Amino acid sequence: MDLREIVQKISRLHLLHRLYIQKTALQNHLYFGQPPLLEYVMDHDGCTQSDVAEFLHVSPPSVATSIKRMEKMGLIARTPDPRDARCNRLHITDEGRQLTTAFRAQFDSVDQQMFAGLSPQEIEQFITTVEHMIANLAVGPYAGLDNITLRQQAKQLKEAEHRAAHSGHPHPPRPERGGDRR
């Protein structure tokens, strides 16, 4: 098997996992990005929308839209901050807590399904292999970045690609290359 086939299998695994997670979120009447928001609020009672936006590395307006939807669904409640009238504190409701606990169990079940039939030794070897592969790629501008920051960088690149595609240029801008150009 060549490297391209291996990378395609990794991509397929990621896609299948994401499909299961998205399907589970939709079955719980949530959008894909809302479960992490609910989990954060559940674990950080009294946090602010800014706290959530910073943690998830998304824009405050994006968080505000999700909060409004989940507030209408009865999953999150907002209370005024007693020290700052411009700020609201977020709290998960009992219904939100029950839903969060339920979808977390469903997400964990998907993860268990993915690793079903593998021995503890195979899982340990898999972890070692994946960590080695991550170390191989987490260099240069990606060294030391967490998953959220990497996702944000991927989003920025996608947005740049989108802007380039709609700017009339036939190709996205090429990255600058240093050194000798042979």
Side-chain angles (χ1 to χ4, degrees), residues 62-76:
S62 171
V63 169
T65 299
S66 288
I67 295 293
K68 282 180 192 172
R69 282 188 184 132
M70 289 187 287
E71 191 175 29
K72 285 180 184 175
M73 294 171 67
L75 305 175
I76 288 181

Side-chain angles (χ1 to χ4, degrees), residues 39-83:
E39 287 184 311
Y40 183 84
V41 173
M42 187 167 85
D43 293 340
H44 301 87
D45 187 54
C47 63
T48 65
Q49 288 182 197
S50 296
D51 296 335
V52 175
E54 184 178 328
F55 175 77
L56 296 176
H57 289 281
V58 296
S59 70
S62 171
V63 169
T65 299
S66 288
I67 295 293
K68 282 180 192 172
R69 282 188 184 132
M70 289 187 287
E71 191 175 29
K72 285 180 184 175
M73 294 171 67
L75 305 175
I76 288 181
R78 285 190 266 200
T79 59
D81 186 315
R83 294 180 303 265

Side-chain angles (χ1 to χ4, degrees), residues 108-159:
D108 291 346
S109 176
V110 170
D111 294 345
Q112 289 170 0
Q113 178 183 350
M114 184 169 58
F115 286 97
L118 297 177
S119 71
Q121 295 81 13
E122 289 171 316
I123 293 173
E124 192 58 42
Q125 181 59 49
F126 179 75
I127 291 168
T128 301
T129 301
V130 169
E131 286 174 347
H132 189 102
M133 295 166 73
I134 290 169
N136 288 343
L137 291 177
V139 296
Y142 309 115
L145 299 182
D146 61 21
N147 286 352
I148 293 170
T149 306
L150 289 170
R151 274 190 214 102
Q152 188 166 10
Q153 289 206 355
K155 182 180 176 184
Q156 289 170 353
L157 285 174
K158 188 174 185 172
E159 289 168 355

Side-chain angles (χ1 to χ4, degrees), residues 78-89:
R78 285 190 266 200
T79 59
D81 186 315
R83 294 180 303 265
D84 184 353
R86 298 168 297 166
C87 181
N88 287 309
R89 296 290 171 174

